[in-house]
Amino acid sequence: LLEKSDQLQRKRFVLFRQNCAEVNQYLSRTFRQLTIDPSADCHLKIDDQTARACFESGVQLYCKHGGSEWKPFKMLSGGQQATVACSLSLSLQKKFPCPLLLCDEIDASLDTHRVENLSRLLRDQNKGRQILLVSLRPQIYEHATTIIGVYQENGSSRVVSLGSKLFQRILQGK
């Protein structure tokens, strides 16, 4: 029984390490696309000496912007953490796709340029999946296929749905 348990733990460790390596490839690429910085990088770090050490110490997330030093996730600013979190989420979706992605104001701490890049990345990853995203940023909803607005009227919630072409005409005053 102990031998079987050790075999399963080793197998889990090998699979975990392989998946982390694949996610790291996506993560580096996605992070660069989101920051538009070819020297930026981000990666997951695991203690891969032994299965026990790996699963006891957990996963660490490190990144660097521009010419800066590698920093652990907890030492980043709020905007940098949001950028890394979006990159990680999109990278995990590439490795382990699901048909529905729910995002609640993931762009709130991002600057305008990163919001535009995020919008493009989400649009590119939209193939075969539905993305439901709550945002107050025009850079996001300008690229949406459908805009759903919720507002209150006479004490009740109302919902309005607009296609992106109609929404663009409204924005342009036509």
Side-chain angles (χ1 to χ4, degrees):
L1 190 62
L2 285 175
E3 186 178 315
K4 186 68 170 170
S5 175
D6 286 344
Q7 286 176 350
L8 287 173
Q9 184 141 345
R10 279 192 300 275
K11 183 178 180 180
R12 180 177 75 152
F13 174 59
V14 168
L15 287 172
F16 184 73
R17 196 168 51 187
Q18 288 172 347
N19 285 318
C20 278
E22 286 184 52
V23 168
N24 270 333
Q25 290 176 355
Y26 296 133
L27 183 57
S28 289
R29 192 173 331 131
T30 304
F31 188 65
R32 283 187 202 106
Q33 289 174 325
L34 197 54
T35 60
I36 311 181
D37 180 354
S39 63
D41 203 357
C42 191
H43 75 269
L44 300 171
K45 183 179 180 211
I46 60 170
D47 184 342
D48 62 356
Q49 299 301 313
T50 65
R52 181 179 211 92
C54 172
F55 295 119
E56 286 178 357
S57 64
V59 177
Q60 303 296 318
L61 187 55
Y62 288 88
C63 80
K64 65 177 183 169
H65 288 84
S68 70
E69 301 276 326
W70 285 97
K71 293 181 185 175
F73 181 79
K74 65 183 177 183
M75 299 302 291
L76 302 174
S77 71
Q80 290 171 330
Q81 286 183 349
T83 304
V84 171
C86 288
S87 299
L88 179 59
S89 179
L90 293 172
S91 299
L92 289 169
Q93 287 299 314
K94 277 190 177 247
K95 173 64 183 152
F96 306 103
C98 67
L100 177 65
L101 181 61
L102 300 172
C103 305
D104 185 12
E105 294 191 39
I106 61 171
D107 57 345
S109 296
L110 301 179
D111 63 30
T112 302
H113 298 293
R114 290 194 176 137
V115 172
E116 290 170 0
N117 297 340
L118 176 62
S119 181
R120 274 189 231 102
L121 286 170
L122 288 169
R123 186 185 61 226
D124 293 345
Q125 281 198 11
N126 194 23
K127 296 166 187 76
R129 86 176 60 193
Q130 198 168 29
I131 298 174
L132 181 61
L133 191 138
V134 175
S135 177
L136 300 175
R137 308 287 292 272
Q139 297 85 359
I140 290 286
Y141 52 77
E142 285 174 352
H143 295 282
T145 55
T146 304
I147 314 301
I148 299 173
V150 180
Y151 63 97
Q152 192 171 29
E153 182 179 77
N154 299 326
S156 296
S157 293
R158 302 285 184 207
V159 178
V160 62
S161 175
L162 301 171
S164 61
K165 290 180 182 172
L166 175 59
F167 182 71
Q168 290 298 326
R169 286 196 309 250
I170 291 169
L171 283 179
Q172 294 168 357
K174 296 179 181 177

